[in-house]
Amino acid sequence: MSSSTERTTDGRGRTTGSVLSGLAVAVGCVLFLGAFVWGALLYRPYTVPTDSMAPTIAPGARVLAEKVSGSEIRRGDVVVFKDTTWGDLPMVKRVVGVDGDKVACCTKKGLLTVNGTPVEEPYLQGAGPASPIGFKAVVPTGQLFLLGDHRNDSLDSRVHLTDGDHGAVPRSAVEARVDARAWPLDSLGVLQRPESFAALPGGISQPGPVQPLVLAVVAGAVLILGGAAYGPIARRKGRGRG
């Protein structure tokens, strides 16, 4: 009687272990593949070849940029854009002015101003003024004024001030908005929206879903590996008890 009861218990234990193992793997696959496919639809990788966005993005770094409409772009966003006036390749810069803004530099404290409001820019390279050369520009409607974070080594809207659009580029030229650094690993992380632009009309943009997507991929991988390992372990324990 005792032997029969033990075999029944062991059999149920092995069945329960198999069910839990299969369930964990199934849920893990849904999370992993779902997040991976969703991320592939929303994001595209880019390589930043120069140091014009240092220290925010180092030269040669890989970034993940969310495919968004130019109408969604706000001040402070780092965007990937392509404009024939600037060149044939996609470029990465930070938006500091939008439709109708009066952008100028610099105040006595070396700060950039937008519509007369000084803007703190803690992301800039070095401790000097926000630009080594002074400038003023009015951003045309439907356009964006773009600067690199390394203002001493960035070919940006300041270089194109004499163009017809006062150095600005159309919102339609934007291909994506940078949400995170993906490589090298020591720079891995989400780009924070600069709070200094939050008080201006229109505020700042909201981060894309890159963080929950990464968490879903990691959780899915853990469940897949854990579920796959749990099944054999449960069966081995069942045989040991038998």
Side-chain angles (χ1 to χ4, degrees):
M1 185 67 176
S2 175
S3 177
S4 175
T5 301
E6 287 178 0
R7 284 196 297 270
T8 302
T9 302
D10 291 343
R12 288 177 181 173
R14 288 193 293 271
T15 301
T16 302
S18 297
V19 170
L20 291 175
S21 173
L23 183 60
V25 171
V27 173
C29 286
V30 170
L31 283 173
F32 184 88
L33 294 177
F36 192 83
V37 171
W38 188 19
L41 292 174
L42 288 179
Y43 287 91
R44 62 177 66 175
Y46 288 91
T47 300
V48 181
T50 70
D51 68 347
S52 67
M53 282 301 296
T56 305
I57 304 172
R62 298 277 286 180
V63 298
L64 292 178
E66 182 184 7
K67 291 177 276 187
V68 298
S69 167
S71 62
E72 300 178 49
I73 300 304
R74 301 288 183 269
R75 301 179 194 89
D77 287 343
V78 176
V79 299
V80 181
F81 68 97
K82 188 175 181 181
D83 186 84
T84 53
T85 304
W86 293 48
D88 296 327
L89 298 175
M91 302 186 73
V92 178
K93 303 292 179 187
R94 188 183 297 274
V95 177
V96 298
V98 298
D99 320 67
D101 281 347
K102 296 178 181 178
V103 183
C105 199
C106 302
T107 67
K108 292 181 179 180
K109 294 183 178 181
L111 299 178
L112 177 81
T113 63
V114 179
N115 299 324
T117 302
V119 177
E120 294 282 350
E121 298 183 279
Y123 45 76
L124 293 182
Q125 173 83 355
S131 175
I133 56 171
F135 66 88
K136 293 181 180 180
V138 177
V139 186
T141 300
Q143 309 268 343
L144 303 170
F145 198 83
L146 303 152
L147 298 177
D149 287 357
H150 192 345
R151 301 281 162 82
N152 289 333
D153 193 22
S154 176
L155 301 178
D156 46 40
S157 288
R158 295 170 299 172
V159 178
H160 298 280
L161 284 174
T162 56
D163 295 346
D165 291 325
H166 306 286
V169 301
R171 284 181 176 270
S172 58
V174 173
E175 296 183 354
R177 178 175 53 212
V178 178
D179 259 3
R181 294 176 292 263
W183 186 263
L185 291 178
D186 60 358
S187 70
L188 188 68
V190 175
L191 261 64
Q192 301 299 319
R193 271 43 174 184
E195 290 297 325
S196 51
F197 289 101
L200 296 174
I204 55 179
S205 64
Q206 296 300 311
V210 64
Q211 280 188 309
L213 285 174
V214 171
L215 289 175
V217 168
V218 172
V222 170
L223 284 172
I224 291 170
L225 294 174
Y230 179 74
I233 291 173
R235 287 193 295 271
R236 191 174 298 114
K237 285 184 177 180
R239 287 196 298 268
R241 287 195 297 270

